[in-house]
Amino acid sequence: MKLFKKILIVLLILLVVGTSIILAIGFGYYSNALKEKPLITRIEEITSKENYTPFDQLSEHYIHAVIAVEDHRYYHHGAIDPIGIARAFYTNIRDGEFDEGGSTITQQVSKNVIFNQDKNLMRKLGEIFASYDLEKNYSKDEIFALYVNSSYFGDGYYSIYEASHGYYNKDPKDLSLSEASMLAGIPNAPSVYAPTVNPDLAKKRQKHVLNKMVEHGYITQEEAKSVE
């Protein structure tokens, strides 16, 4: 029994030390990014763009579509969502596919605004610290607007304004349910889901967005079917 306790204590110490090292690496990665350019400067570069679209200029359909498909608990969790991470892991294992990610909208803003698109552990760790910093300094609505104004929608469109005008020739606030659900699905994989690249896959992704909107109570099944 004494040997077991000693082994357990050693394992706990190793876990604490290992976690501390990992967190230190992530914080260092984030700190280095801020040395290159402070967070407030990065945010101002986006919000000062001529066609920046604030939250209150987005259509309700589009807001609901994005939240439903990307982060349906967005307004109910902090910078990260442990429940979302666990759910995504379970769903991907169950379905044998990796269609769901565990990143919150805030984490995706961190990736878009502060880091690059490279998939590596250090970036993911730095992303966590960046996300907490974002939520400390900006409201959920502001962070949501940053997300849709810094996402790539394919065809050379790098914001919701450009995508809305490029694909539908209208302002984001005027997007219909059909248009909003289409655009909400593109940033997940722009090279695949852009309607000008692969219309069939784009429609399949749109249907997934609509199903998520039904699942989370934003629209009825009849409304979803009316788009199809």
Side-chain angles (χ1 to χ4, degrees):
M1 182 63 73
K2 288 184 178 180
L3 178 61
F4 175 76
K5 287 182 177 179
K6 288 181 179 179
I7 293 174
L8 183 60
I9 291 171
V10 170
L11 290 174
L12 287 173
I13 292 173
L14 290 174
L15 178 63
V16 171
V17 172
T19 301
S20 299
I21 292 173
I22 290 172
L23 291 176
I25 291 172
F27 182 73
Y29 194 75
Y30 175 50
S31 297
N32 288 335
L34 293 189
K35 287 177 183 177
E36 295 176 9
K37 188 182 295 183
L39 177 62
I40 189 170
T41 302
R42 295 172 184 269
I43 301 301
E44 287 177 349
E45 285 179 350
I46 296 173
T47 57
S48 63
K49 289 181 178 178
E50 181 182 359
N51 294 322
Y52 177 82
T53 306
F55 184 84
D56 61 5
Q57 292 298 308
L58 297 168
S59 82
E60 191 172 73
H61 282 314
Y62 180 66
I63 294 169
H64 291 166
V66 172
I67 290 174
V69 75
E70 292 293 342
D71 185 1
H72 79 273
R73 297 184 63 252
Y74 178 61
Y75 284 98
H76 304 288
H77 61 65
I80 61 174
D81 182 16
I83 293 176
I85 293 172
R87 183 188 65 251
F89 179 78
Y90 168 76
T91 301
N92 290 332
I93 294 298
R94 181 196 65 194
D95 297 342
E97 298 178 354
F98 291 91
D99 291 334
E100 286 200 36
S103 293
T104 63
I105 286 175
T106 307
Q107 285 176 269
Q108 294 183 62
V109 172
S110 299
K111 179 180 67 178
N112 291 346
V113 176
I114 301 169
F115 303 111
N116 53 40
Q117 301 299 313
D118 293 338
K119 295 182 178 181
N120 61 66
L121 179 60
M122 287 195 297
R123 194 215 77 199
K124 291 296 293 184
L125 292 171
E127 202 176 90
I128 294 173
F129 288 96
S131 297
Y132 277 106
D133 214 359
L134 281 167
E135 296 238 349
K136 182 176 69 176
N137 291 287
Y138 300 93
S139 70
K140 286 286 191 178
D141 289 353
E142 289 173 323
I143 293 171
F144 185 95
L146 287 169
Y147 171 64
V148 302
N149 280 278
S150 63
S151 293
Y152 182 52
F153 292 82
D155 260 16
Y157 305 135
Y158 285 89
S159 69
I160 183 56
Y161 181 91
E162 292 182 2
S164 184
H165 276 269
Y167 289 119
Y168 301 114
N169 195 31
K170 58 173 62 177
D171 288 335
K173 64 183 177 62
D174 298 321
L175 291 170
S176 67
L177 174 59
S178 176
E179 295 159 348
S181 56
M182 177 63 76
L183 293 185
I186 297 175
N188 179 262
S191 63
V192 176
Y193 295 130
T196 51
V197 174
N198 195 321
D200 290 338
L201 281 179
K203 287 294 293 182
K204 183 178 179 181
R205 176 67 176 169
Q206 180 189 38
K207 185 176 181 179
H208 174 70
V209 174
L210 290 166
N211 287 340
K212 286 294 184 181
M213 293 181 76
V214 172
E215 178 183 340
H216 299 301
Y218 290 116
I219 58 174
T220 65
Q221 190 67 59
E222 289 69 28
E223 288 175 304
K225 286 182 178 180
S226 71
V227 174
E228 302 172 8

